[in-house]
Amino acid sequence: MKKRTLIAGLLAASMIITAAAGCGAADGKADAADAGTTEDAGKPKEGGTSEGGGLKVGAATRTLRDSVYIVMRDNAQEEADKLGIDLSWQDCNIDVSVQKSQIENMIASGTDVLIVEAADQKSMSETVTDAQNQGIPVIIIEARIDNFTPDLWVTADSYQVGVQQVDEFIKKWGTTEPANVVLLSGTQGDEVAESISAGVRDQVAEYDNLTLVYEQSCMDWARDKGMAYMEDAISTNNGNIQAVFGNNDQITMGALKAAENAGLVEDMWFIGGDHEEEMVKYILDGYNVMTVDKGTEAQGKFLIDAAEMLANGETIPDTQEIDGINVWYAPTTMVNADNVKEFSAGRYPDLFK
């Protein structure tokens, strides 16, 4: 059994739904109607309010620029509406100052429970600690916040996401033919990115026929960074690359585009994470593409159920304690050509009409 790093050990169980957490950012800006972006800072966004007012939950997340986060929000909203909970879900477009302002306004407006996916895990401790000091339970999504112990941490086992990416590629490629592989990580220093990448590195080392020939971190988990670094990887290795492991789908799709522009896309596999709509399109169009689903729908629903339980002083089921933090892990599934209809038709029905 291989020894894991501390980060890997912190992230082990089952809906791996990315991110969170991965987590990742896309190229385009979110529409103001969909996201609480910079213009929305200080203005609570309308959610599914309950008649007469009940439990008030505020969710402050990194971004809504990727479809996976919209899926999470919509499932959370559906559950909140069912339970009569007033949910305000805002994103900050990966702007720390905006997120701090949003959280401060949520606290001032009488929010009962906070859900936070930190725009920067190193900068949010004081803000969320202030909420806890005022008796507001705090649930965090994806990466931990430095120097802060939340009431609950909802995440996927990011290390195992990386392991799963490599193992699923091997199922397609085999253990005999040599393969040069590329690893494109999320933002350097991001806990989720580091954990996924650690899983990839460790599992690549388990297979004698795999060689990691190129690795780079992509700021803000962005597609354009994935494309640029893949162009460099192709140049550096004279196009001799057989697989790309991306920490999220946005990075992976950037790499795919670079390979396509170089006329090499048919010779490579592209393995991402988050189960984005565009990745499903690539699978349906016959590209060598796979993506890890991190249980986004279940995460969205569970966040609201957990918020209600915390507000009522109830014990959260199906959790485990890791380093003094109560953790709920989401299940994960590798989506590929063999099961894409089963796992994607419900999320993206228009693709299957």
Side-chain angles (χ1 to χ4, degrees):
M1 181 181 297
K2 67 169 66 75
K3 295 181 180 178
R4 301 186 182 179
T5 62
L6 173 61
I7 292 174
L10 285 170
L11 297 164
S14 98
M15 171 175 181
I16 283 174
I17 231 181
T18 309
C23 339
D27 290 329
K29 299 294 183 183
D31 291 335
D34 285 334
T37 53
T38 304
E39 295 79 25
D40 297 313
K43 296 191 295 183
K45 203 168 166 188
E46 291 300 323
T49 57
S50 56
E51 296 296 331
L55 184 67
K56 193 169 184 178
V57 176
T61 61
R62 288 166 47 92
T63 182
L64 283 175
R65 294 180 298 179
D66 306 348
S67 63
V68 64
Y69 291 105
I70 295 173
V71 170
M72 183 185 293
R73 178 201 64 185
D74 290 351
N75 278 267
Q77 188 66 67
E78 182 179 346
E79 185 71 1
D81 290 342
K82 185 175 76 173
L83 298 175
I85 291 172
D86 179 349
L87 172 64
S88 174
W89 190 290
Q90 302 180 37
D91 86 288
C92 65
N93 205 13
I94 321 181
D95 187 316
V96 174
S97 63
V98 170
Q99 186 168 69
K100 287 182 178 181
S101 177
Q102 289 171 337
I103 293 173
E104 288 164 359
N105 285 322
M106 287 176 182
I107 294 171
S109 68
T111 293
D112 298 300
V113 180
L114 274 175
I115 298 168
V116 179
E117 182 197 19
D120 176 29
Q121 66 196 56
K122 302 181 187 302
S123 305
M124 297 302 298
S125 176
E126 183 177 349
T127 304
V128 289
T129 298
D130 182 53
Q132 273 191 338
N133 289 342
Q134 296 185 48
I136 302 172
V138 178
I139 301 171
I140 60 170
I141 311 172
E142 294 261 295
R144 291 174 298 168
I145 297 172
D146 290 0
N147 303 311
F148 176 70
T149 302
D151 295 272
L152 180 67
W153 179 16
V154 175
T155 187
D157 182 346
S158 296
Y159 181 89
Q160 287 299 324
V161 169
V163 170
Q164 188 174 15
Q165 286 181 324
V166 177
D167 285 346
E168 291 295 330
F169 167 66
I170 284 293
K171 288 179 183 178
K172 301 293 185 181
W173 186 260
T175 58
T176 303
E177 189 73 18
N180 289 337
V181 303
V182 168
L183 171 58
L184 297 177
S185 303
T187 301
Q188 187 173 10
D190 182 283
E191 181 176 23
V192 174
E194 290 187 353
S195 295
I196 296 172
S197 296
V200 170
R201 288 188 212 98
D202 288 353
Q203 204 63 7
V204 165
E206 292 292 310
Y207 296 102
D208 292 338
N209 63 321
L210 300 186
T211 303
L212 181 60
V213 297
Y214 186 92
E215 179 177 352
Q216 277 289 354
S217 296
C218 301
M219 184 67 181
D220 291 337
W221 304 67
R223 184 188 300 211
D224 61 337
K225 300 296 191 301
M227 182 174 176
Y229 285 130
M230 186 60 184
E231 289 170 346
D232 184 49
I234 290 171
S235 175
T236 301
N237 293 279
N238 297 315
N240 185 19
I241 297 168
Q242 284 70 52
V244 178
F245 301 109
N247 277 186
N248 74 343
D249 284 345
Q250 291 294 327
I251 292 170
T252 307
M253 288 187 288
L256 187 153
K257 184 62 176 175
E260 194 166 43
N261 291 344
L264 299 171
V265 72
E266 293 183 1
D267 301 324
M268 300 181 193
W269 278 89
F270 302 86
I271 302 94
D274 283 342
H275 191 185
E276 292 275 351
E277 184 173 9
E278 286 184 77
M279 285 288 274
V280 174
K281 289 179 182 177
Y282 278 120
I283 294 172
L284 293 174
D285 288 342
Y287 287 79
N288 296 325
V289 166
M290 296 184 279
T291 178
V292 179
D293 179 284
K294 301 177 184 177
T296 308
E297 290 88 349
Q299 281 198 50
K301 179 180 182 298
F302 182 78
L303 286 169
I304 301 305
D305 293 343
E308 184 178 54
M309 285 185 277
L310 286 173
N312 293 333
E314 300 173 14
T315 300
I316 309 294
D318 303 321
T319 61
Q320 56 185 289
E321 185 175 308
I322 298 178
D323 279 8
I325 299 176
N326 199 26
V327 184
W328 184 83
Y329 286 105
T332 60
T333 302
M334 180 62 80
V335 179
N336 55 37
D338 299 327
N339 62 10
V340 64
K341 185 173 183 179
E342 176 185 359
F343 286 99
S344 305
R347 181 181 291 190
Y348 308 118
D350 290 346
L351 298 181
F352 296 85
K353 290 182 179 178

